[in-house]
Amino acid sequence: MSEATGSLFDMVRSYDQFVLDLELVRSHFPAFDNGKEPRFFENAGGSFACRETSDALQRFYTDTKVQPYAAYPASARAGELMDASHNRWAQALGVAVSEVMFGPSTSMNTYVLAQAFGQRLGSGDEVIVTNQDHEANTGATRRMAERCGATVREWSVDSVTGELHIANLEALLSGKTRLVVFPHCSNIVGAENDVAAICGLARSAGAHTIVDGVSYAPHGFVDVGALGADAYLFSMYKTYSVHQGLMVLRNELAEWLPNQSHHFNADRVRLRMIPAGPDHAQVAAAGAVLDYVEATTPGFVGDVRGACEAAKTAWQAHEASLLQPVLRWLDDRSDVRIIGPTEATAGLHRCPTIAFVSERICSAQIAAEMVELGVMANNGNFYAPRLLEATGVDINDGVVRLSWVHYTSLADIEFLIGALEQALG
Ligand SMILES: Cc1ncc(COP(=O)(O)O)c(C=O)c1O
């Protein structure tokens, strides 16, 4: 490691908000058992699952793997566990129980939402989508608009930084806007978008909002009620949990949208936007990650919403402390371009998802070299080809993406920078 890099790490060690108990955190992940040190930098693709999650799944499959909600004990217990997950997540996200839904994935949940909007919108209506999103969040909406005759307006990113500027959204909003679809944070750019401000603007124009929280949620479970989004979605396999999608759909929007499930489920709020039959075990195990949050915020007194806030503060402070050395190391190189901001914007979190390209070496080669050196990372367009096109990146070779979360250690970051030094030369 170079001398300059060493001094950056001294800065990290004295970071005054470093309050996360990393040893405690890592003890909750089987991936780190027995001293294992996976150098895992593909967390934006999917995180490790915490022990609470795998234990809950195992228990369900062992004790209650039957059709739920019948009178016999195993079935009644299965139903109770599923209900408990709905209740826990409603409290954690600051919304009503009826507003929490579990579907097979975020792509599936956004697809169903788009079908429902398509039955309500028509010619003369406008929908605003971004080109910063993962395709899951806007592809279905764009196709829906085409089918029903609504006009699509694109809120485009800054071609240099890949960021979305709110002034450009303001210019697109009008009395015809019925829906605004955008990400809380892009899976490439890493910068948090100001969800509360955007939802406020959309609401003033009379439009609903669908927010893709997938890339933000691993860095904090937010108070969706306070943010003001009409729909907020994330993927639980990226938040230390099971492989399914969580969708918050506020009651007012859910009631306005037509039922997408069997006709006899029209009045069952939990089911009307989830045509897929629920994966009972995964729904039942979905609440376990909140037990993890509580177990790793020792000393915190309060409800699960408060524990999520406490964890978010600790997670983000730790992540930020690890982010600066990598951003600065990459940004100091004249042959590297970071797609996204190189500093966090005041008041908004810069998630530790760093995408970059090299002027000299293709992304596939860098990723292959990193893998060879023991770093788990990848290259590609990560289903965000519109963003890469807008920022002038080859969508086939794509970017090298390095992403981490709160369980990542300083030793992981030192290892990463060492590998980058070798891969980039
Ligand atoms: C930002 C973002 N949105 C949406 C999705 C789609 O989520 P899912 O895999 O649950 O369909 C992904 C998946 O990688 C993503 O990164």
Side-chain angles (χ1 to χ4, degrees):
M1 191 193 309
S2 69
E3 239 179 52
T5 312
S7 65
L8 290 177
F9 288 125
D10 290 341
M11 178 189 82
V12 171
R13 285 195 184 96
S14 65
Y15 196 80
D16 61 2
Q17 281 181 294
F18 194 95
V19 291
L20 187 95
D21 185 341
L22 191 57
E23 207 177 315
L24 175 67
V25 160
R26 284 167 85 108
S27 72
H28 282 258
F29 285 88
F32 301 116
D33 280 356
N34 306 316
K36 279 189 290 222
E37 293 278 9
R39 305 304 187 186
F40 184 42
F41 288 94
E42 183 50 335
N43 289 277
S47 68
F48 292 140
C50 63
R51 200 180 308 283
E52 284 79 354
T53 297
S54 46
D55 286 354
L57 266 180
Q58 163 87 16
R59 269 197 310 277
F60 191 93
Y61 274 102
T62 309
D63 302 340
T64 51
K65 183 68 185 71
V66 293
Q67 187 65 17
Y69 299 111
Y72 53 96
S75 174
R77 179 70 187 138
E80 278 166 21
L81 290 167
M82 292 171 68
D83 289 348
S85 283
H86 280 270
N87 288 328
R88 289 277 276 161
W89 273 106
Q91 284 168 24
L93 300 173
V95 297
V97 181
S98 58
E99 296 174 320
V100 173
M101 291 150 212
F102 298 104
S105 69
T106 297
S107 304
M108 200 63 220
N109 288 340
T110 51
Y111 181 83
V112 174
L113 267 185
Q115 301 309 301
F117 267 98
Q119 289 173 254
R120 287 281 180 255
L121 305 187
S123 115
D125 292 328
E126 295 187 359
V127 301
I128 297 179
V129 295
T130 86
N131 58 353
Q132 195 190 54
D133 282 272
H134 183 286
E135 191 65 14
N137 202 36
T138 70
T141 303
R142 289 171 192 261
R143 293 197 299 279
M144 167 279 280
E146 219 170 85
R147 276 195 305 275
C148 75
T151 301
V152 175
R153 303 251 176 249
E154 187 173 270
W155 177 17
S156 303
V157 294
D158 180 315
S159 62
V160 177
T161 65
E163 288 175 278
L164 288 168
H165 299 305
I166 288 189
N168 295 337
L169 169 66
E170 285 173 306
L172 293 174
L173 284 166
S174 76
K176 293 182 187 164
T177 313
R178 307 296 299 280
L179 177 62
V180 180
V181 179
F182 68 98
H184 193 162
C185 166
S186 131
N187 63 334
I188 301 283
V189 168
E192 179 181 5
N193 292 314
D194 191 342
V195 175
I198 296 166
C199 290
L201 282 171
R203 174 150 303 136
S204 309
H208 285 115
T209 42
I210 298 178
V211 182
D212 177 350
V214 173
S215 288
Y216 186 88
H219 313 288
F221 300 134
V222 292
D223 186 336
V224 176
L227 277 184
D230 295 304
Y232 187 94
L233 305 98
F234 60 91
S235 304
M236 306 199 72
Y237 66 95
K238 300 185 200 257
T239 60
Y240 326 110
S241 185
V242 292
H243 199 123
Q244 63 181 355
L246 190 157
M247 172 165 70
V248 170
L249 193 56
R250 304 312 305 272
N251 283 331
E252 180 260 327
L253 176 58
E255 279 158 24
W256 180 69
L257 290 172
N259 174 36
Q260 299 300 302
S261 186
H262 304 306
H263 66 90
F264 46 79
N265 283 336
D267 294 330
R268 300 176 70 187
V269 277
R270 194 189 283 181
L271 298 181
R272 49 187 271 123
M273 284 298 147
I274 305 285
D279 182 324
H280 306 140
Q282 296 207 72
V283 173
V289 66
L290 296 170
D291 300 341
Y292 159 71
V293 168
E294 287 179 327
T296 50
T297 46
F300 174 78
V301 182
D303 61 9
V304 67
R305 167 92 287 281
C308 287
E309 273 309 307
K312 178 155 79 76
T313 306
W315 293 359
Q316 295 195 355
H318 175 64
E319 291 168 4
S321 74
L322 302 181
L323 182 64
Q324 283 311 319
V326 184
L327 274 181
R328 280 171 58 182
W329 190 90
L330 285 167
D331 199 33
D332 278 352
R333 294 184 63 108
S334 55
D335 57 344
V336 163
R337 175 181 171 212
I338 295 172
I339 314 301
T342 51
E343 298 284 342
T345 311
L348 293 174
H349 184 56
R350 168 59 164 98
C351 293
T353 298
I354 303 181
F356 71 90
V357 288
S358 156
E359 265 177 20
R360 296 178 302 109
I361 315 173
C362 72
S363 298
Q365 194 183 325
I366 298 169
E369 176 80 13
M370 300 285 284
V371 169
E372 196 65 24
L373 292 163
V375 171
M376 295 151 98
N378 205 357
N379 72 294
N381 64 43
F382 300 102
Y383 278 28
R386 295 176 202 271
L387 170 62
L388 295 198
E389 266 168 2
T391 50
V393 176
D394 171 4
I395 62 167
N396 296 313
D397 189 34
V399 291
V400 180
R401 187 175 70 175
L402 306 169
S403 56
W404 60 93
V405 293
H406 65 283
Y407 54 56
T408 305
S409 68
L410 183 57
D412 291 332
I413 297 294
E414 288 172 339
F415 190 93
L416 174 71
I417 293 190
L420 281 168
E421 272 171 351
Q422 287 191 57
L424 290 170

